[in-house]
Amino acid sequence: MEITFMQYVWGFLLLLIPCYVLYLYHSTLLTKTVRATVRMMGLLLVLGFLLYEVMALNQWGITLLFALLMVTIGAILTVRRAKLPIRQLFVPVMAGTFTGVLVVGLYVLWLVVGVRNPLEVRFLIPVVGLLTGHLIQVNSQALHIYFMGLRHHSQLYHYLLGNGMKHSQALGYLFRRTIERATLLNISTMGRMLIGVSPIILWSMMLAGAGVFTALAFQLVLLIAMFSASIISVIVTVVVSRRYLLDDYHQLKGDKPHQQAE
């Protein structure tokens, strides 16, 4: 399905409705709406240009670099939204995001979609984008609970170590809460499907000409894939972060993870 420039203009004119209502009631949000729209258009134009060039080249090396760029940006946004120090936790979050997206993404492309060449840009980039976007939303909240809890319950952690418990067991309580948080966010999305959350992938695929059952199956598979990717990502992030948060004696390092990045 193609859209012409004139059709795009007609669609863009719909923005006049909310803008006129805000103007009619002298709302201060009118300026913010215009700025947000311009910012969105600018970011989408940049993304569209990059995607066009990547798809035009269609080389597996360029495709992988672009996918890595998306994962890197996703990791940075996850750390910032979780209000964690980028210098200390970028590597763990990057490792977790990359592992979750790579493992689940290739699994979906190879075994579910049945793509012979999963590195083809029209298959790899959309899946990486969907998974990375979901991980930003879920992992930022789940990791915030873990590292904030590590700070506020540091005395409990040292108390448990002093009573003979291994450091992995002492961290188990916070780790369990982190996994539960990631799980709750995912099952909340799945539980409110059609009631509180619109199945965008289902509608989009039908709009693009896919069959109803094909679009429905892909919507379900991607929800499960996002769930699995978030759990894998959280586990890898927490495991890798222990190297940066604990010293050789399994004591918390002086640089607290609650300090926000500058």
Side-chain angles (χ1 to χ4, degrees):
M1 184 179 64
E2 299 290 339
I3 183 172
T4 65
F5 176 77
M6 209 48 221
Q7 290 171 327
Y8 170 78
V9 172
W10 282 113
F12 194 79
L13 287 176
L14 290 172
L15 185 62
L16 294 177
I17 297 175
C19 288
Y20 176 74
V21 173
L22 292 175
Y23 172 78
L24 187 64
Y25 287 95
H26 305 286
S27 175
T28 57
L29 294 178
L30 178 59
T31 303
K32 293 183 179 180
T33 301
V34 174
R35 290 177 180 175
T37 303
V38 173
R39 181 171 179 268
M40 176 193 67
M41 290 180 59
L43 292 175
L44 287 178
L45 285 174
V46 172
L47 176 61
F49 174 77
L50 292 176
L51 284 174
Y52 179 82
E53 292 296 329
V54 172
M55 294 191 71
L57 294 172
N58 196 20
Q59 298 179 0
W60 67 268
I62 302 298
T63 302
L64 286 178
L65 286 176
F66 189 76
L68 182 61
L69 175 63
M70 295 172 63
V71 172
T72 302
I73 295 176
I76 294 174
L77 293 177
T78 299
V79 175
R80 294 187 66 87
R81 290 187 61 174
K83 299 179 180 180
L84 300 172
I86 292 181
R87 292 181 180 178
Q88 191 176 17
L89 292 173
F90 169 73
V91 173
V93 174
M94 178 65 184
T97 304
F98 180 78
T99 304
V101 171
L102 179 67
V103 172
V104 176
L106 292 180
Y107 180 92
V108 169
L109 290 175
W110 260 326
L111 299 180
V112 179
V113 182
V115 177
R116 293 184 178 180
N117 182 16
L119 297 182
E120 190 172 350
V121 60
R122 66 190 182 100
F123 295 118
L124 181 64
I125 297 303
V127 171
V128 170
L130 288 170
L131 293 178
T132 303
H134 181 73
L135 293 185
I136 294 173
Q137 178 183 1
V138 174
N139 288 7
S140 60
Q141 298 185 41
L143 295 176
H144 178 81
I145 288 179
Y146 180 82
F147 292 110
M148 291 300 100
L150 190 60
R151 173 212 172 190
H152 294 299
H153 296 284
S154 59
Q155 293 182 350
L156 174 61
Y157 171 76
H158 291 296
Y159 172 79
L160 294 175
L161 289 180
N163 283 271
M165 187 175 289
K166 297 180 179 179
H167 75 282
S168 58
Q169 296 173 319
L171 293 173
Y173 169 72
L174 293 175
F175 184 64
R176 185 186 68 191
R177 286 192 60 195
T178 305
I179 295 297
E180 289 175 346
R181 180 60 177 175
T183 302
L184 285 174
L185 291 171
N186 281 281
I187 63 177
S188 175
T189 300
M190 293 187 292
R192 293 184 295 116
M193 187 60 61
L194 285 180
I195 300 177
V197 179
S198 177
I200 299 177
I201 297 174
L202 171 65
W203 306 133
S204 300
M205 291 190 65
M206 290 180 61
L207 186 63
V212 176
F213 292 105
T214 300
L216 179 62
F218 207 75
Q219 173 74 63
L220 293 174
V221 167
L222 277 181
L223 283 175
I224 297 173
M226 292 174 181
F227 189 3
S228 300
S230 63
I231 297 300
I232 294 174
S233 178
V234 167
I235 292 175
V236 173
T237 300
V238 171
V239 171
V240 175
S241 67
R242 291 176 182 177
R243 177 182 177 183
Y244 296 84
L245 299 179
L246 303 176
D247 57 23
D248 295 336
Y249 300 97
H250 303 311
Q251 302 296 314
L252 295 175
K253 293 183 179 180
D255 191 9
K256 301 297 182 181
H258 70 283
Q259 298 173 352
Q260 297 186 14
E262 298 180 355

